[in-house]
Structures are given as structure tokens and as C-alpha cells.
Amino acid sequence: MNWYPWLNHAYRQLVESHQQGRGHHAVLLHAHEGTGADALLYGLSRWLMCQDKQGMKSCGKCHGCHLMLAETHSDWHVLAPEKGKNTIGVDAVRQISVKLYEHSQQGGAKIVWLPLAESLTDAASNALLKTLEEPPKNTYFLLRCQSPTNLLATLRSRCFYYFLPVPENSVGLYWLKNQLPAIPSLDVQTALKLSQGAPLAAEQLLQPEKWQQRSSLCQAIAQALHKCDTLSLLPLLNRDDVQRSLHWLISLLSDAVKWQQKAQNYCVNQDQQALIHHLASAQSVDTLLSTVDGWIHCRHQLFSVVGINRELLLTEQLLNWEKQLCPTQ
């Protein structure tokens, strides 16, 4: 698994706590997608599993290190949804709990790595809670989450909470430019802002297919404004990745509000200034704010209302936007 320079500080803090005898048996790592949180927890796992630690580093040579590198360590358990499912059920937690109370097969630490703690059902969370309250000796739980408030409060209270921030903007830009030297600097800056400062998410966004998808949406928005035909955007939005497209759309509309308030330097989509100006000119600030609120509400409904008709909801919102843009039509 790749390592990223902005993880060094967090890694040192977590390892030092164990070296000083203050290490918690359960770490809840709160991190945005694309910050390298999985790499951090894997690095900590490597250190905990190492049988010949070299200070703050794992030796890379012992049997435990070889097994971790090969991802075949019998005492390193990954708790994740089964293929085709979005949640982790109580049976999966119980199966791992049984293994944890057995003797370590390699004679060292036992680790449970939970890449997305939000995927636990309430029953699974309660089952895991019992093991967290009375963990077997030399057993560690490493949990990653993006939204701690979606976890049971009792589960959070049994863990050591650690927030992994995104790196400084200059660090993220430097890393991205080294990874993607052929990408224009303006595109790199925009992608990093669209990704809330998470370099790995920005790197994925800058891949040709995704970046072209965003460019196509921006072009389509410009044409829709010119023709006053927002419904033409429906085929681009009514897709399984609608959340990403709505994020781009809302960020453009929010930038238009900033433009009207003479805060262009704070715009996220720096590579789309002509479109932002067009959006800012098409509506008053009050109408723009209403449009932004409408799209945010639409996005919330799409991902919180079970069985909602996506096409119908998007169509309604697009028509509402069109009425705001062209009230005389």
C-alpha cells in the first residue's frame, strides 16, 4: 500500500502513544475520502504486527511483516461488507469476535480493521461494542469513518477518536503536480478544491474520463443557460453517479454567489470563470441562493428517501430552475 508524506505526523503520534504505554486498543479514525486514511491504519497495523520493531518503523523482514506485506496474516482481520452488500451484519461481527478470543496464530497482536464503520448495522454495532468493552489481550480495533455522528454514541465512546485533517494546500498541490506533471496547474488547483483538499480524491478526479465528464457537464450548463433549457441537463444528471454531478453543479452555483459578492478569488471552479460569470449574470443573488438551496434539498432527498424516483425528482428541480431563469416563459 502506498504511503503519503502528509501522514507522517499522524503516524508518529499514534505509534508514540503505544511506545509510551498510552495506546488505546480501539482507534476511530475520522477522515475525508481521499486523505490516505487506509494507508495510515495499514501502517499502524504493520508496526503493531512487527516482531522486531525498529523504533517507530516495522522491520519489514520478520515473519509478521512478510505476512502483512503479502496480506495473508492470519491475525489481521478485515471487517467489511460482503460483495454486493452495503452493510455489515451482526453475524460477520460475531464470527470475527470468536476468532479474537482464540489464541493468536502467529503469537503476537490481533487486529480488526474496519475500513468504513458507518456500514455497521445497529445490531452489528452492538455486537462489536461487547467485544470493545472487554477486548481479548493484545487485540486492536482500527476503525475508519467519514461521519462519526452516524455511529452509535456508545460505540464512539469506547474508541480513541482521532481526526486526520487534509494536508496543507501547498502540500497537496506539490504532491499532485509530481504525480500528474502534464496536467495544467489551474486544473490541479480546481480538482483539489472540488475534493475538499484531499489529494487522492483530486488525483482520481483528474483522471481523463472523470475530468471529461465534468467538462461535458460545464459545457452543457453553458448551453442550457444560453437556450434557457435546463431540462436538457437531465441525461447528464440522471445517472448512478448523480451525487458527483450534483456536487459539481452546486459548487458552480455557489461560485456564482461569490462572484456577485465580489469574492472571485474564493471560487472553487477557477477553470470555469466564464461559466461562473454567466451564472452570476443570469440571476439575482437572492434567486441564486434559492437555486442553491433547491439543489441541496434535491440532493438530500435523493440519498435519504428510500425508493425515490430519481428521474422525476431531477426533472422537477430542473424545471423549477428554468422558471427562475426564464420567468416570462
Side-chain angles (χ1 to χ4, degrees), residues 88-90 93-94 97 120-133 151-155 158:
I88 300 171
V90 65
V93 173
R94 287 171 177 165
S97 296
L120 288 166
T121 64
D122 286 350
S125 295
N126 284 317
L128 182 62
L129 184 62
K130 294 177 182 178
T131 310
L132 288 175
E133 289 174 339
L151 302 178
L152 291 181
T154 47
L155 183 66
R158 297 299 187 276

Side-chain angles (χ1 to χ4, degrees), residues 128-329:
L128 182 62
L129 184 62
K130 294 177 182 178
T131 310
L132 288 175
E133 289 174 339
E134 298 180 10
K137 185 179 179 181
N138 207 18
T139 299
Y140 301 94
F141 299 85
L142 306 179
L143 296 78
R144 177 174 70 86
C145 71
Q146 295 180 32
S147 181
T149 55
N150 289 336
L151 302 178
L152 291 181
T154 47
L155 183 66
R156 297 199 306 267
S157 69
R158 297 299 187 276
C159 299
F160 170 70
Y161 172 84
Y162 189 96
F163 177 67
L164 177 66
V166 296
E168 293 288 336
N169 189 65
S170 58
V171 174
L173 286 175
Y174 180 79
W175 182 83
L176 280 168
K177 288 176 181 177
N178 280 328
Q179 298 298 120
L180 304 167
I183 302 295
S185 179
L186 196 60
D187 288 358
V188 172
Q189 293 177 40
T190 299
L192 191 60
K193 288 183 177 181
L194 280 169
S195 304
Q196 290 79 50
L200 301 184
E203 182 187 27
Q204 287 299 311
L205 176 55
L206 286 165
Q207 297 307 307
E209 184 179 351
K210 286 186 181 178
W211 198 246
Q212 181 55 48
Q213 182 184 343
R214 174 179 171 271
S215 298
S216 298
L217 179 64
C218 291
Q219 292 170 11
I221 292 172
Q223 292 174 4
L225 291 173
H226 179 70
K227 297 177 180 179
C228 210
D229 178 21
T230 58
L231 198 57
S232 63
L233 299 173
L234 183 60
L236 292 177
L237 296 177
N238 189 26
R239 301 160 42 125
D240 290 340
D241 58 359
V242 61
Q243 185 170 6
R244 184 192 312 155
S245 298
L246 289 184
H247 171 61
W248 296 337
L249 174 58
I250 292 169
S251 73
L252 286 164
L253 290 166
S254 299
D255 281 349
V257 175
K258 297 172 191 173
W259 190 285
Q260 287 201 352
Q261 300 302 308
K262 311 299 182 184
Q264 292 94 326
N265 291 338
Y266 294 95
C267 288
V268 170
N269 300 274
Q270 291 290 333
D271 64 333
Q272 296 290 335
Q273 293 198 28
L275 176 56
I276 295 169
H277 179 257
H278 195 171
L279 285 165
S281 304
Q283 297 174 262
S284 68
V285 66
D286 288 339
T287 308
L288 262 175
L289 287 170
S290 175
T291 302
V292 172
D293 286 343
W295 280 112
I296 290 175
H297 180 64
C298 174
R299 181 175 61 182
H300 176 72
Q301 285 184 297
L302 279 173
F303 299 102
S304 62
V305 180
V306 178
I308 197 166
N309 188 317
R310 183 176 68 197
E311 183 175 6
L312 187 61
L313 183 64
L314 290 170
T315 298
E316 181 183 19
Q317 183 57 34
L318 286 167
L319 289 174
N320 287 339
W321 187 18
E322 189 170 302
K323 288 178 182 177
Q324 292 175 319
L325 286 168
C326 315
T328 58
Q329 291 190 7

Side-chain angles (χ1 to χ4, degrees), residues 4-14 28-38 40 144-146 160-169 171-172 192 195-201:
Y4 309 102
W6 58 85
L7 300 177
N8 290 338
H9 176 68
Y11 176 80
R12 283 196 296 269
Q13 284 190 319
L14 291 171
L28 177 62
L29 183 68
H30 176 197
H32 298 301
E33 189 67 37
T35 55
D38 288 346
L40 174 61
R144 177 174 70 86
C145 71
Q146 295 180 32
F160 170 70
Y161 172 84
Y162 189 96
F163 177 67
L164 177 66
V166 296
E168 293 288 336
N169 189 65
V171 174
L192 191 60
S195 304
Q196 290 79 50
L200 301 184

